[in-house]
């Protein structure tokens, strides 16, 4: 059964949270919520057990690359927000979303025909810093992003912060800095899927835990992946 709901949230100033609306069953309702808020959430869309195994594999690969000196010490390693390819072993996530009809919702929300998504992952490292507020890509070319929580994601390990409804018009960076809009931290349980527009202003937040926090990303920038099988990249291996 497909269960689409608004995400559990907490204000940036508080660790308290509460679930909002229950299921949103139709594409029309999804579109209304998406147009208003810039995101919707599929609760418990992906099984937890294989996600836990994937989290261990991603962490082990990162640790091995660091220990072996293969990891570039600047960029994401410096800020604490590191992008990677999650490997073909993560294909079960795609299969789960496809089976539930999540990609049908994506297709219904998109104004253009889509290919298979680009496959990526962000590893939020312990001791990371808050990112600058930003959108993904260019305002003139919005695209859809589906983030999958590989582990429970909360205020401790760096749940994303959004600025309410900033997808509804074009903003300059200085306007975002001056704007007193309400900011929210999006809390997700392992297996939840956050579908959002690239033009919603947001930022990654510090990971105060002792463990890396992975978050998968399916993106449809420029219509999606040019590859027939996006999981064939890097020989199907996890790559940082």
């Amino acid at each position: 059964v497909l269960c689409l709901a608004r995400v559990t949230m907490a204000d940036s100033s508080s660790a308290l949270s509460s679930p909002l609306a229950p299921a949103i069953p139709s594409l029309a309702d999804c579109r209304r919520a998406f147009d208003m808020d810039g995101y919707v959430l599929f609760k418990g869309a992906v099984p937890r057990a294989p996600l836990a195994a994937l989290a261990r594999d991603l962490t082990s690969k990162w640790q091995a690359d660091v220990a072996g000196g293969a990891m570039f010490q600047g960029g994401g390693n410096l800020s604490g927000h590191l992008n990677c390819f999650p490997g073909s072993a993560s294909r079960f996530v795609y299969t789960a979303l496809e089976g539930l009809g999540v990609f049908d919702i994506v297709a219904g929300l998109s104004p253009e025909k889509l290919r298979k998504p680009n496959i990526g992952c962000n590893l939020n490292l312990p001791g990371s810093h808050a990112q600058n507020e930003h959108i993904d890509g260019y305002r003139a070319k919005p695209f859809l992003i589906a983030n999958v929580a590989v582990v429970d994601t909360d205020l401790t390990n760096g749940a994303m912060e959004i600025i309410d409804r900033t997808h509804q018009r074009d903003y300059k960076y200085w306007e975002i800095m001056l704007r007193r809009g309400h900011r929210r931290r999006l809390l997700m349980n392992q297996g939840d899927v956050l579908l959002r527009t690239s033009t919603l202003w947001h930022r990654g937040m510090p990971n105060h835990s002792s463990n890396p926090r992975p978050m998968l990303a399916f993106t449809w920038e420029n219509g999606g992946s040019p590859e027939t099988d996006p999981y064939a990249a890097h020989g199907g291996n996890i790559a940082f």
Side-chain angles (χ1 to χ4, degrees):
V1 177
L2 178 63
C3 180
L4 183 61
R6 291 193 180 183
V7 72
T8 299
M9 295 180 293
D11 292 346
S12 294
S13 59
S14 171
L16 298 177
S17 64
S18 59
L20 299 183
I24 306 176
S26 71
L27 175 60
D29 284 340
C30 292
R31 187 183 301 279
R32 279 191 289 270
F34 194 83
D35 289 346
M36 178 178 292
D37 297 325
Y39 66 90
V40 287
L41 181 83
F42 294 87
K43 295 289 292 179
V46 183
R48 295 176 68 95
L51 284 172
L54 177 61
R56 291 191 294 269
D57 290 344
L58 290 166
T59 298
S60 294
K61 174 59 174 172
W62 169 69
Q63 291 172 333
D65 282 2
V66 171
M71 191 70 68
F72 174 60
Q73 293 305 306
N77 269 305
L78 189 61
S79 68
H81 300 272
L82 189 63
N83 291 325
C84 70
F85 174 68
S88 61
S90 66
R91 192 190 296 270
F92 70 90
V93 179
Y94 183 99
T95 301
L97 300 187
E98 184 176 45
L100 285 172
V102 173
F103 295 144
D104 292 335
I105 296 293
V106 171
L109 292 174
S110 174
E112 62 179 345
K113 186 176 181 180
L114 299 176
R115 300 184 297 274
K116 292 182 179 178
N118 302 294
I119 309 296
C121 180
N122 175 267
L123 203 64
N124 191 342
L125 304 177
S128 63
H129 305 285
Q131 293 179 328
N132 292 329
E133 293 83 349
H134 63 281
I135 63 172
D136 295 311
Y138 298 98
R139 169 72 191 183
K141 294 183 177 181
F143 58 93
L144 293 163
I145 302 168
N147 290 122
V148 181
V150 182
V151 299
D152 291 342
T153 302
D154 54 27
L155 298 180
T156 300
N157 64 3
M160 180 191 300
E161 179 184 83
I162 66 162
I163 307 176
D164 269 354
R165 301 179 180 178
T166 45
H167 67 297
Q168 293 183 349
R169 76 167 179 86
D170 191 10
Y171 284 93
K172 303 298 184 183
Y173 184 74
W174 64 266
E175 291 181 292
I176 292 294
M177 292 297 94
L178 293 176
R179 189 174 185 266
R180 299 293 182 178
H182 190 61
R183 295 174 180 239
R184 301 179 187 271
R185 300 289 294 277
L186 302 185
L187 311 185
M188 299 170 67
N189 293 324
Q190 186 180 53
D192 290 351
V193 180
L194 177 69
L195 179 61
R196 61 185 176 91
T197 176
S198 62
T199 57
L200 179 66
W201 283 80
H202 65 284
R203 61 176 177 162
M205 298 299 284
N207 180 358
H208 299 297
S209 76
S210 59
N211 298 310
R213 188 233 64 202
M215 178 74 71
L216 296 178
F218 296 81
T219 65
W220 286 269
E221 188 172 11
N222 297 320
S225 174
E227 305 298 330
T228 303
D229 180 10
Y231 285 99
H234 303 284
N237 299 310
I238 295 171
F240 286 92

